[in-house]
Amino acid sequence: MYEAVIGLEIHAELKTNTKIYCSCKNSFGAEPNTQVCPVCMGLPGSLPVLNKKVIDLAIKAGLSLSCDIAKESTQDRKNYFYPDLPKAYQISQSDTPLCSKGYIKINDKKINIERIHIEEDAGKLIHSENSTTIDFNRCGVPLIEIVTKPDIRSAKEAVAFLEALKEILEYSDVSDCKMQEGSLRCDVNLSVRPVGESTLGTRAELKNLNSFTFMKNAVEYEFKRQVDAILSGDTLVAQTRRYNESDKKTYFMRQKETPAHYRFFTEPDIPAFSVTPSDIEKQKALLGARPAKLLEKYKSLGLSKDECATILDDPDLCDYFERLIPFTKNPRSASSFLLGHVAKKCTIDGVFRCDIKAQSFACVVNMFDDRKISSTTAKNLLSRLLEKDFDPEKAANEEGLFQISDERVLYPLVKEAFESSFDAVMKYKNGKVNALQSIVGKVMGKTSGKADPEAVTRILLLMIEKDQ
Amino acid sequence: MELLNLTVHELRDMIKSKQVSSTEATNACLFQIEKLDKKIGSFITVNSYEALKTAKACDEKLSNGICSGSLFGVPYALKDNILTKNIKTTCASKMLENFVPPYSATVETKIKEQGGILLGKLNMDEFAMGSTNENSYFKVTRNPYDLSKIPGGSSGGSASAVASDEAFFSLGSDTGGSVRQPASFCGCVGLKPTYGRVSRYGLVAFASSLDHIGSITKDVRDSAIVLDVISGKDDKDATTYNKSDTSFESALTGDIRGIKIGVPKEYLDGINKEVLSSIFSSVENLKYLGANVYETNLNLYKYALPAYYLISSGEASSNLARFDGIKYGFSAENCENINDLYEESRSLGFGNEVKRRILLGTYVLSSENYSAHFKKAQQVRRLIIEEFNELFKKYDVLVTPAYPTTASKIGQSATSIEMYIGGNCLVCANLAGLPAVVIPCGYNKKGLPIGIQIIGKHFDEATILNVAYALEKTIIKQKPSFI
């Protein structure tokens, strides 16, 4: 039996205002050759100047993927001729990638990230019947190139990884990750080997994977192609192949170049740059401690995708939530109250700030989870806590805010309401679910709102069921 | 003509005091060019219309009482690898024969702001590769001191224009001695500042870590004035530095008592007898002026030239790759496919010396050659820099000959190898980024200029210029009899 050994090479465009080596605007969709200057067009005499924001965002990306960040880094020239590359070299990083040794966990399996480095994008070739034109707008757009170790074993895993990566890069506000606009591009390196072996087979690099589906199809086709080739005794050649969506096959493009082909050497026009601990702290603070770990943690606590997104998107909100977690029995509940009730009241001019003591907030949430107070009471207490701090449990006690959830207490009250609501019961039995509300309402009225509506409903339903 | 004999500082004083107008000075230069340049060949492009227009504007400003700029009304010229907006910039190559840049180099903008008047663009060795100026696609430039001799290269036109009074000063570029050697051959002052002192933005790159923009002037004071204008950190060039210096011109005192001068004996090997004699006389003069002179060593001297050629060729092969016939410059016709277009455009567009360097450079950067050649050369470079650092702990400046010989005959510069070897005296300062100035220190029996070089610590142009300033006063300048 053969297994696929897959590594991914992902390029993500960074969300800076200007390009990586010049002050041209970095945005998608402009008229061709309107966002260009002597530097990104590679005119003679032009020189690159590194945009510091690019380093910041690359560090942020590295941190969000649990990478080590290099203390000293240089840029290198990758030399080759192609019409979309105006200088005939791409300024990239070869020897000293800015980030290394990161990972993303997919279903408890670590997919390792070998390296992340910064580089400039090339222009775009537009092919027509008789000619090809070049749009240089994209030249100099800042990219991070993320290279994984060949830890992926299936198309499914590859897609899962890419989805997770996209999520993380979006959360950390590093890239738009729009595959359809090309701000996220993925190439697949795939080889096969007998299960149990540890050496790597001859790999093919797959390009033109413009969507998750394309990638999945390409991987599945290529795996089969390579296995078939081996089984028929053919030798595989290291090559680059292009995926074709119309027949879902991959086709030979060219033989794989070796690194030596590119004549890498250190870029003399850009001095080496250092990354200080304070640079890293600054990006960490902006991330709001948002590495993939937090996302994992919140998901495992049961928060929904949207809740995670909202919390992780706001460093201050996230910090506050982090402070709540140790005191709450059910963080999911805490998140619900925080996002549903408190966040709006505490956000002024887009900045979140909540002065409720974490223990007090948690105490309210815990009482709700213990069914001691109703949702309404919980919200009221939280609103009061915004004004000033007090002991919520003590207040609930003194003010008689506790819910009545004791079934022995509720049963006679429910029975009374049930027996006096013949019409409502009939309507319910005929399919009108809402009819229950009026009966529950009677019990709430009798108890001045203190009855636990859930408990009341439960008892009521059992009563109706028995009454057949 | 007396006006043309003036230095920049003399001319600008006369313009400011209205004894001479900008228009007069510019016209004088243009007439000189008319008269002499068919024989000398300094210029590729003469910008007469614009130059006179600018001169007229200067004169108008002056009559309205506005007279700002340390180069107010002074006509000058630029080597043709320094970009000038809307003015053809060719690098003396067929590849850029008709290239008109949409932007100007930072140095041109700075000089313009100080009132300088651009006369035109000067001939050079193609893409700055060469030391005789015979590698130009367009024409040969001749030494004003002897028209059968080379002016030097690659900034040959920059030196011949100043030596023949066609311009009051010029800028050139110095990657392996290309400002200092022509200055030496043409009896001018040639300054290569510290790497990072002057912005390279707008200089067509040959070897990025070795290229420097430098000046060629009639005397040392002019050199300091020009340096004050063109130096400074530039946001467009990440390799420039901000060094808050006082003006270089005001640092010229001529007092060099107590200065410690080292003369590395390796530099004196293989030097022509007459040149050596002139150098020794100058060293004696320096002693009279109060300097302490010591013999010293630069042990890695013999490795400098090989390191220079490996690094410069490697970087050049990369910098010149952008000339591919697609976006600008020469583009071959009737090509069947993209590879043909690349090959034809580059084979036809580049001259032989350029192709030689690109081939060598591509080779030393490829696969296993990289470690053995390019990387090793960079390591040797690091060691050379360290050796200089040690020397500069003991000495303030180093003094050496500018070149082993005086100017050789045109057409007889022999093989590439010999041409390459002559550059020994000069390349160390490029490898290490140290400032170096060359001034004429004498003339041989045939009246050809001999140059002496003063090398200083990083960013210490003030000291080397001051030593040059002091020495200059002891030398009687001879103008070319041709003029």
Side-chain angles (χ1 to χ4, degrees):
Chain A
M1 271 285 84
Y2 282 85
E3 64 175 358
V5 177
I6 298 168
L8 301 182
E9 225 171 83
I10 298 125
H11 288 89
E13 289 180 3
L14 298 177
K15 283 171 77 163
T16 53
N17 289 328
T18 54
K19 293 185 178 180
I20 187 172
Y21 301 121
C22 64
S23 46
C24 286
K25 198 149 172 258
N26 172 19
S27 71
F28 178 81
E31 282 296 297
N33 296 315
T34 53
Q35 281 170 194
V36 294
C37 74
V39 177
C40 54
M41 288 221 49
L43 291 194
S46 62
L47 293 172
V49 178
L50 184 55
N51 177 351
K52 190 166 186 303
K53 274 260 148 57
V54 171
I55 305 176
D56 291 342
L57 288 183
I59 294 173
K60 226 198 216 185
L63 291 172
S64 70
L65 294 165
S66 309
C67 291
D68 293 340
I69 312 290
K71 290 200 187 76
E72 285 274 327
S73 207
T74 60
Q75 303 252 237
D76 299 305
R77 289 194 190 177
K78 184 178 181 182
N79 298 282
Y80 64 95
F81 287 89
Y82 205 65
D84 66 3
L85 196 65
K87 297 188 296 294
Y89 57 86
Q90 178 195 31
I91 303 179
S92 176
Q93 292 188 295
S94 166
D95 291 342
T96 56
L98 190 52
C99 317
S100 57
K101 303 202 200 119
Y103 64 88
I104 299 182
K105 270 206 192 141
I106 305 293
N107 298 326
D108 285 330
K109 176 182 167 186
K110 253 194 194 178
I111 308 289
N112 291 294
I113 291 171
E114 173 89 49
R115 53 186 278 152
I116 303 178
H117 70 250
I118 58 177
E119 60 184 26
E120 57 177 343
D121 209 345
K124 218 187 289 187
L125 294 180
I126 301 155
H127 303 285
S128 61
E129 183 90 29
N130 294 320
S131 66
T132 298
T133 49
I134 314 173
D135 177 10
F136 290 101
N137 282 350
R138 206 181 62 179
C139 286
V141 164
L143 299 175
I144 39 172
E145 180 177 320
I146 302 166
V147 181
T148 74
K149 288 215 163 122
D151 294 338
I152 296 171
R153 294 285 170 269
S154 69
K156 197 166 169 214
E157 217 169 46
V159 171
F161 177 87
L162 195 58
E163 279 177 342
L165 179 69
K166 184 172 186 280
E167 218 170 57
I168 291 167
L169 293 179
E170 283 170 340
Y171 285 141
S172 33
D173 212 22
V174 157
S175 172
D176 277 334
C177 291
K178 291 186 183 156
M179 281 179 93
Q180 69 278 21
E181 282 181 10
S183 58
L184 184 71
R185 293 166 236 163
C186 184
D187 295 336
V188 167
N189 286 305
L190 189 155
S191 62
V192 302
R193 69 183 175 203
V195 176
E197 259 193 42
S198 55
T199 51
L200 292 170
T202 307
R203 66 173 175 166
E205 181 188 26
L206 310 178
K207 287 184 161 310
N208 193 36
L209 311 174
N210 297 338
S211 72
F212 292 119
T213 318
F214 284 24
M215 184 168 81
K216 176 174 166 293
N217 294 341
V219 166
E220 284 169 354
Y221 175 82
E222 182 61 20
F223 175 64
K224 188 169 184 301
R225 184 192 77 85
Q226 289 195 16
V227 172
D228 286 348
I230 293 179
L231 292 177
S232 7
D234 292 340
T235 3
L236 290 168
V237 164
Q239 58 189 270
T240 301
R241 297 179 69 85
R242 191 186 155 82
Y243 173 72
N244 191 347
E245 170 61 5
S246 51
D247 60 5
K248 304 204 185 351
K249 292 184 182 175
T250 62
Y251 290 89
F252 176 82
M253 257 178 98
R254 56 176 183 260
Q255 282 205 283
K256 193 86 190 81
E257 304 97 352
T258 57
H261 175 93
Y262 295 113
R263 288 168 278 128
F264 281 102
F265 67 100
T266 308
E267 172 57 76
D269 292 327
I270 302 177
F273 54 90
S274 356
V275 176
T276 62
S278 91
D279 290 329
I280 296 181
E281 282 314 307
K282 187 162 168 232
Q283 295 312 314
K284 261 200 194 142
L286 287 171
L287 269 179
R290 268 189 272 167
K293 296 189 187 100
L294 271 187
L295 181 57
E296 255 181 78
K297 173 168 141 187
Y298 294 168
K299 277 188 170 165
S300 68
L301 288 173
L303 269 65
S304 74
K305 199 174 173 191
D306 285 335
E307 284 173 319
C308 291
T310 311
I311 295 176
L312 290 173
D313 213 37
D314 184 339
D316 299 306
L317 184 58
C318 188
D319 280 342
Y320 189 77
F321 183 62
E322 283 289 302
R323 279 189 278 140
L324 284 181
I325 292 177
F327 297 111
T328 49
K329 294 181 195 174
N330 182 1
R332 176 122 202 252
S333 235
S335 153
S336 218
F337 279 107
L338 180 60
L339 298 180
H341 186 63
V342 174
K344 244 180 245 151
K345 296 184 185 187
C346 291
T347 306
I348 303 168
D349 288 331
V351 178
F352 172 84
R353 189 199 148 135
C354 180
D355 291 323
I356 303 179
K357 263 171 76 178
Q359 283 114 307
S360 308
F361 195 119
C363 175
V364 173
V365 175
N366 291 340
M367 285 197 290
F368 171 79
D369 281 324
D370 289 338
R371 314 223 52 74
K372 283 188 188 161
I373 57 176
S374 69
S375 164
T376 316
T377 308
K379 287 180 188 167
N380 285 335
L381 283 171
L382 287 173
S383 298
R384 280 164 57 185
L385 280 168
L386 279 172
E387 304 297 314
K388 81 169 197 195
D389 190 46
F390 54 89
D391 180 345
E393 186 141 22
K394 189 158 172 245
N397 224 338
E398 287 169 358
E399 297 166 39
L401 300 174
F402 286 130
Q403 278 189 146
I404 306 168
S405 344
D406 190 341
E407 292 202 9
R408 292 167 295 178
V409 175
L410 288 176
Y411 188 85
L413 295 166
V414 177
K415 185 145 194 262
E416 206 190 312
F418 171 74
E419 284 168 353
S420 65
S421 309
F422 184 74
D423 285 332
V425 172
M426 286 321 300
K427 279 184 190 160
Y428 177 76
K429 281 186 180 175
N430 287 330
K432 203 171 178 207
V433 181
N434 287 344
L436 275 186
Q437 281 301 90
S438 59
I439 309 175
V440 174
K442 280 186 183 173
V443 179
M444 298 303 286
K446 270 274 166 68
T447 58
S448 316
K450 289 204 193 130
D452 178 352
E454 246 192 63
V456 169
T457 312
R458 223 182 318 123
I459 299 168
L460 184 57
L461 284 170
L462 276 170
M463 247 176 228
I464 293 176
E465 229 191 272
K466 276 200 189 138
D467 182 58
Q468 294 297 8
Chain B
M1 246 194 98
E2 262 188 31
L3 171 52
L4 292 175
N5 275 340
L6 298 175
T7 59
V8 169
H9 55 92
E10 287 162 351
L11 177 64
R12 115 189 125 178
D13 288 344
M14 292 193 81
I15 289 177
K16 287 191 176 175
S17 60
K18 297 188 186 168
Q19 290 172 68
V20 163
S21 73
S22 299
T23 307
E24 272 179 84
T26 305
N27 265 323
C29 289
L30 291 171
F31 285 143
Q32 186 79 333
I33 294 168
E34 265 274 332
K35 189 171 123 195
L36 300 179
D37 213 49
K38 279 193 192 60
K39 295 214 178 89
I40 298 183
S42 311
F43 283 83
I44 292 176
T45 303
V46 180
N47 198 29
S48 22
Y49 177 73
E50 280 297 322
L52 284 169
K53 202 166 140 205
T54 313
K56 192 165 172 217
C58 271
D59 287 333
E60 269 168 28
K61 272 196 201 149
L62 195 56
S63 64
N64 290 330
I66 307 165
C67 169
S68 60
S70 51
L71 294 170
F72 191 79
V74 177
Y76 80 107
L78 289 173
K79 184 174 181 182
D80 210 13
N81 60 355
I82 296 174
L83 262 61
T84 42
K85 185 173 174 176
N86 298 333
I87 300 171
K88 216 167 45 155
T89 300
T90 69
C91 298
S93 177
K94 182 185 168 94
M95 186 59 89
L96 291 180
E97 190 175 2
N98 296 307
F99 177 67
V100 179
Y103 77 100
S104 271
T106 298
V107 292
E108 197 261 341
T109 308
K110 284 183 164 211
I111 293 175
K112 197 175 186 169
E113 278 166 7
Q114 294 300 319
I117 296 174
L118 182 66
L119 291 165
K121 309 302 290 300
L122 298 164
N123 200 18
M124 52 185 278
D125 280 304
E126 185 181 358
F127 283 108
M129 296 175 184
S131 44
T132 64
N133 228 79
E134 290 167 304
N135 290 330
S136 164
Y137 175 66
F138 299 107
K139 57 172 102 173
V140 159
T141 303
R142 295 169 183 282
N143 192 321
Y145 283 85
D146 179 340
L147 296 177
S148 70
K149 303 280 199 296
I150 59 172
S154 58
S155 312
S158 304
S160 62
V162 172
S164 61
D165 293 335
E166 286 170 328
F168 284 87
F169 74 92
S170 68
L171 294 188
S173 70
D174 189 317
T175 304
S178 295
V179 157
R180 291 164 287 152
Q181 184 248 44
S184 169
F185 285 178
C186 293
C188 302
V189 173
L191 171 66
K192 182 199 80 60
T194 312
Y195 187 82
R197 175 68 84 182
V198 176
S199 170
R200 287 180 297 121
Y201 185 76
L203 168 69
V204 179
F206 158 12
S208 314
S209 71
L210 297 160
D211 287 345
H212 300 66
I213 291 183
S215 64
I216 296 185
T217 54
K218 295 183 191 182
D219 72 4
V220 175
R221 179 174 289 278
D222 282 0
S223 190
I225 292 170
V226 173
L227 186 61
D228 277 326
V229 173
I230 62 176
S231 57
K233 182 165 163 66
D234 185 9
D235 289 335
K236 300 203 188 85
D237 178 350
T239 60
T240 53
Y241 290 87
N242 225 354
K243 288 277 168 189
S244 50
D245 295 292
T246 48
S247 129
F248 294 108
E249 190 186 359
S250 61
L252 295 173
T253 59
D255 182 1
I256 58 167
R257 286 170 298 174
I259 287 234
K260 296 195 284 287
I261 297 179
V263 181
K265 63 183 203 307
E266 289 82 3
Y267 277 86
L268 303 173
D269 286 335
I271 304 293
N272 170 284
K273 274 204 200 97
E274 280 182 287
V275 172
L276 212 49
S277 157
S278 190
I279 300 292
F280 286 148
S281 296
S282 295
V283 169
E284 286 308 305
N285 285 346
L286 288 168
K287 286 182 190 168
Y288 282 140
L289 290 165
N292 301 315
V293 182
Y294 307 88
E295 196 189 74
T296 184
N297 293 337
L298 185 71
N299 295 317
L300 294 173
Y301 182 71
K302 64 178 190 275
Y303 299 110
L305 205 60
Y308 166 76
Y309 271 105
L310 293 173
I311 296 170
S312 65
S313 307
E315 291 182 356
S317 72
S318 176
N319 285 326
L320 266 66
R322 67 191 65 197
F323 301 107
D324 55 12
I326 299 211
K327 310 168 292 287
Y328 43 74
F330 175 74
S331 184
E333 316 229 305
N334 302 319
C335 293
E336 302 241 311
N337 57 50
I338 189 80
N339 283 326
D340 278 354
L341 179 67
Y342 287 152
E343 284 179 18
E344 288 293 301
S345 302
R346 290 166 68 79
S347 301
L348 297 173
F350 287 137
N352 287 337
E353 184 61 29
V354 172
K355 285 192 269 203
R356 216 172 272 135
R357 309 258 184 135
I358 292 175
L359 286 171
L360 174 61
T362 307
Y363 177 80
V364 306
L365 287 177
S366 305
S367 55
E368 65 278 356
N369 301 320
Y370 174 79
S371 297
H373 300 306
F374 189 84
K375 188 171 174 190
K376 198 155 231 158
Q378 294 280 35
Q379 289 166 331
V380 167
R381 179 184 195 169
R382 177 101 295 263
L383 293 174
I384 291 175
I385 293 172
E386 280 166 15
E387 196 175 4
F388 271 111
N389 287 342
E390 284 307 306
L391 283 177
F392 283 120
K393 283 183 185 156
K394 293 188 269 192
Y395 312 109
D396 299 307
V397 301
L398 303 174
V399 163
T400 81
Y403 203 76
T405 63
T406 54
S408 53
K409 249 186 152 51
I410 291 174
Q412 258 178 35
S413 300
T415 64
S416 279
I417 304 245
E418 280 166 14
M419 210 168 83
Y420 288 0
I421 288 174
N424 260 321
C425 296
L426 300 158
V427 298
C428 280
N430 297 86
L431 287 168
L434 299 167
V437 66
V438 158
I439 66 166
C441 63
Y443 302 82
N444 74 359
K445 279 196 296 270
K446 297 185 183 154
L448 289 174
I450 295 168
I452 190 168
Q453 171 175 240
I454 303 155
I455 306 173
K457 301 176 194 175
H458 288 115
F459 296 105
D460 195 14
E461 285 88 343
T463 304
I464 58 168
L465 286 173
N466 202 27
V467 171
Y469 185 65
L471 184 60
E472 180 181 61
K473 292 185 200 289
T474 68
I475 292 157
I476 300 167
K477 227 184 143 184
Q478 279 172 224
K479 293 212 67 114
S481 49
F482 172 59
I483 310 299

